[in-house]
Amino acid sequence: MSGLLTRFFEARGLSGSSNPQNPAYWLVKMLGGTQATSGVKVTRETALGWTAFAAGVRIIAETLGSIPCQIFERLEPRGRELRRNHPLYFLLHDQPNEEMTAFEFFELMQTQIPLFGFAAAQIVYNGGGIPIELWPLNADRITISRNAAGMLQYRVALPRNDMGGVSGSVVLPADEVLLIRGWGGGIIGRALPTLHKEALGLGLATELFSAGFFGRGAVASGVLEHPGELTEEAQQRIRTMYESQVGGIDRQHRLLILEEGMKWHQTTVDPDKAQLLGLRELQLDEAARMLRVPPHMLANLRRATFSNIEHQRIEFAEDTMRPWAVRWEQRMAMQLFGRKDRNRLFIKFNLDAILRGDLESRYRAYHVGRQAGILSANDAREREDMNPRTDPGGDVYADLPAGVPANLDPMKPREMMPAPTPAGGNNGKEDD
């Protein structure tokens, strides 16, 4: 089936639902999402309105999109070889389809997983059964079920026609859809806006409260008490008078003048008494827990120091990105490779790009690696995107014999190294 199916999905559900002319907008408002205890309705769209949650989703998606995705072949008896000539290498490393780069593809797919619990892409094959294109599908327009044979199938809503209605749907078999499942098990994973409704609702509520607090002039709400009885006209006149004096951000801190014995009674808690700033800071940690992102990546630097920031970045690579990378690698290998190919080929995200420290730390690590015989000069240069050395020494590994100090010509081959000095000194000769 042609990838033209997904080209019509320009108005994606994540952004298209913000258009009131889109019928899906009204469905989201009426049926989508649930109301949290804080009084805020939590949907996939409103969840992204909380900056802490949106930042975490974006960080993971952009980081995954920026990591090179490569194909390797296992060698016998050990080792591996990069397979740039494999038909799938270009799709996963450079361009999955004629309209998207690899970065855009992985970023879009990864963005949908925490919001919907899964992401899906249509696999387009050539006549030989080899994947030649990958087209992302809109997760909010997919219904997953099983056919009469018990196999998964995906019903995808077709694009709307010119009158704004839906023009039907198409069913794709499981072997034509790349499905990346989120956390939670089952056919699809758990959607975070549903799973963490209360935490997201509280984050949205504090943002709405803060915006309303400053938008109304940073004055706590209250009531005006009048000793007599007011007509509707008098009530409207007092309301207009009050708003004209202190209503709005441009009139904050003005003096409120009351008349006819009226008294002001505050009915809400001041933001400082409610510890609003502390709550908003705590919610950064809440979003970090939700997405397994180190707090400093969400701009919470309360516990970040020059000595631990690099270790926190390593934690991000190991605890946040590595599980996502493995999830993607195994699903792509299972669905894009044949059974025979899976025995000798594997897909790998190169996490070295986000594990690299500062220049001095990297060069120190290369030096230790060369002394231990783990790296050659060309191995280190390749990691720094440099051209290899042309002399024979560029591919020499140290392989130091026991007892030879590491600072004595460590890059020479073993046969050129001086013999180790026996215990006792003077090459074993006794003192005169």
Side-chain angles (χ1 to χ4, degrees):
M1 182 175 293
S2 172
L4 290 174
L5 170 66
T6 45
R7 297 184 196 178
F8 293 104
F9 284 37
E10 293 290 339
R12 295 190 292 272
L14 297 179
S15 58
S17 59
S18 61
N19 180 6
Q21 296 181 348
N22 179 358
Y25 173 87
W26 303 108
L27 292 176
V28 169
K29 293 301 181 185
M30 291 188 297
L31 303 177
T34 55
Q35 183 167 309
T37 306
S38 58
V40 179
K41 196 170 187 180
V42 179
T43 67
R44 299 180 181 96
E45 182 184 13
T46 59
L48 288 178
W50 183 26
T51 56
F53 180 75
V57 171
R58 180 179 177 182
I59 287 170
I60 296 175
E62 291 181 341
T63 302
L64 185 75
S66 65
I67 301 174
C69 185
Q70 301 170 319
I71 298 178
F72 293 89
E73 181 177 2
R74 297 181 179 91
L75 302 179
E76 294 295 341
R78 59 191 302 176
R80 65 181 185 179
E81 181 181 359
L82 186 64
R83 287 289 306 274
R84 288 192 176 93
N85 60 341
H86 193 277
L88 279 173
Y89 188 92
F90 180 76
L91 295 186
L92 302 181
H93 186 271
D94 299 293
Q95 188 175 339
N97 56 66
E98 63 185 31
E99 295 182 0
M100 303 181 74
T101 64
F103 178 93
E104 295 166 342
F105 173 81
F106 287 113
E107 179 193 34
L108 173 60
M109 292 277 287
Q110 179 60 43
T111 299
Q112 296 190 71
I113 298 176
L115 297 176
F116 296 90
F118 72 99
Q122 182 188 5
I123 307 172
V124 181
Y125 298 90
N126 63 10
I130 299 176
I132 57 174
E133 288 182 324
L134 297 172
W135 289 91
L137 297 171
N138 291 321
D140 59 346
R141 299 185 185 180
I142 297 176
T143 302
I144 304 176
S145 60
R146 295 189 181 273
N147 57 22
M151 303 298 293
L152 288 177
Q153 61 182 12
Y154 302 83
R155 183 174 297 277
V156 184
L158 293 174
R160 295 175 298 277
N161 56 34
D162 294 339
M163 300 300 294
V166 177
S167 58
S169 61
V170 64
V171 176
L172 298 177
D175 59 356
E176 292 186 12
V177 176
L178 171 63
L179 178 69
I180 308 297
R181 299 169 178 169
W183 175 82
I187 297 177
I188 61 175
R190 302 292 297 272
L192 295 188
T194 302
L195 186 64
H196 301 297
K197 176 187 67 175
E198 297 299 341
L200 289 168
L202 181 59
L204 290 168
T206 55
E207 288 199 349
L208 289 173
F209 175 83
S210 301
F213 175 74
F214 285 102
R216 293 178 178 87
V219 176
S221 299
V223 295
L224 289 173
E225 179 185 356
H226 192 278
E229 184 176 350
L230 297 174
T231 63
E232 291 186 5
E233 181 180 355
Q235 293 178 21
Q236 182 61 38
R237 182 181 65 82
I238 293 176
R239 183 178 293 108
T240 302
M241 177 269 296
Y242 175 81
E243 292 180 352
S244 65
Q245 290 187 49
V246 295
I249 191 65
D250 57 334
R251 298 185 181 94
Q252 59 180 320
H253 306 305
R254 284 187 176 184
L255 178 64
L256 175 61
I257 301 175
L258 301 177
E259 57 181 326
E260 298 182 1
M262 288 189 297
K263 298 180 180 179
W264 167 260
H265 298 281
Q266 184 171 320
T267 59
T268 59
V269 180
D270 288 331
D272 56 341
K273 295 180 181 178
Q275 298 183 347
L276 179 63
L277 293 179
L279 177 61
R280 287 177 63 83
E281 186 177 38
L282 177 64
Q283 287 178 314
L284 293 178
D285 294 334
E286 196 78 356
R289 280 191 292 268
M290 215 179 295
L291 297 165
R292 294 190 67 192
V293 174
H296 81 276
M297 302 201 73
L298 300 182
N300 185 358
L301 303 177
R302 185 173 69 252
R303 294 175 180 158
T305 64
F306 288 108
S307 60
N308 69 9
I309 196 71
E310 186 172 350
H311 290 283
Q312 291 190 50
R313 185 163 184 82
I314 294 175
E315 290 177 5
F316 172 69
E318 292 290 336
D319 300 334
T320 304
M321 296 311 304
R322 186 176 181 276
W324 281 114
V326 172
R327 189 187 305 272
W328 275 87
E329 291 164 358
Q330 294 183 355
R331 290 295 298 185
M332 289 191 296
M334 186 178 77
Q335 295 194 246
L336 299 180
F337 288 152
R339 187 177 296 273
K340 293 183 178 180
D341 285 341
R342 290 202 296 270
N343 292 330
R344 63 185 184 88
L345 299 175
F346 64 95
I347 299 173
K348 190 76 174 176
F349 282 94
N350 187 358
L351 295 176
D352 288 345
I354 58 177
L355 284 173
R356 294 166 62 180
D358 58 88
L359 183 65
E360 182 181 359
S361 299
R362 296 201 309 272
Y363 278 29
R364 190 184 303 115
Y366 297 150
H367 180 68
V368 174
R370 293 192 65 196
Q371 288 182 337
I374 300 174
L375 298 174
S376 67
N378 284 340
D379 291 336
R381 292 177 66 85
E382 183 178 5
R383 291 170 180 258
E384 292 295 319
D385 296 324
M386 298 179 180
N387 292 328
R389 285 170 46 177
T390 56
D391 60 283
D395 293 313
V396 172
Y397 293 86
D399 193 18
L400 296 179
V404 175
N407 59 351
L408 294 179
D409 298 326
M411 295 303 117
K412 291 182 179 180
R414 179 188 289 269
E415 59 270 13
M416 300 177 60
M417 299 296 296
T421 302
N426 292 327
N427 294 325
K429 298 181 181 180
E430 297 182 357
D431 293 337
D432 294 336

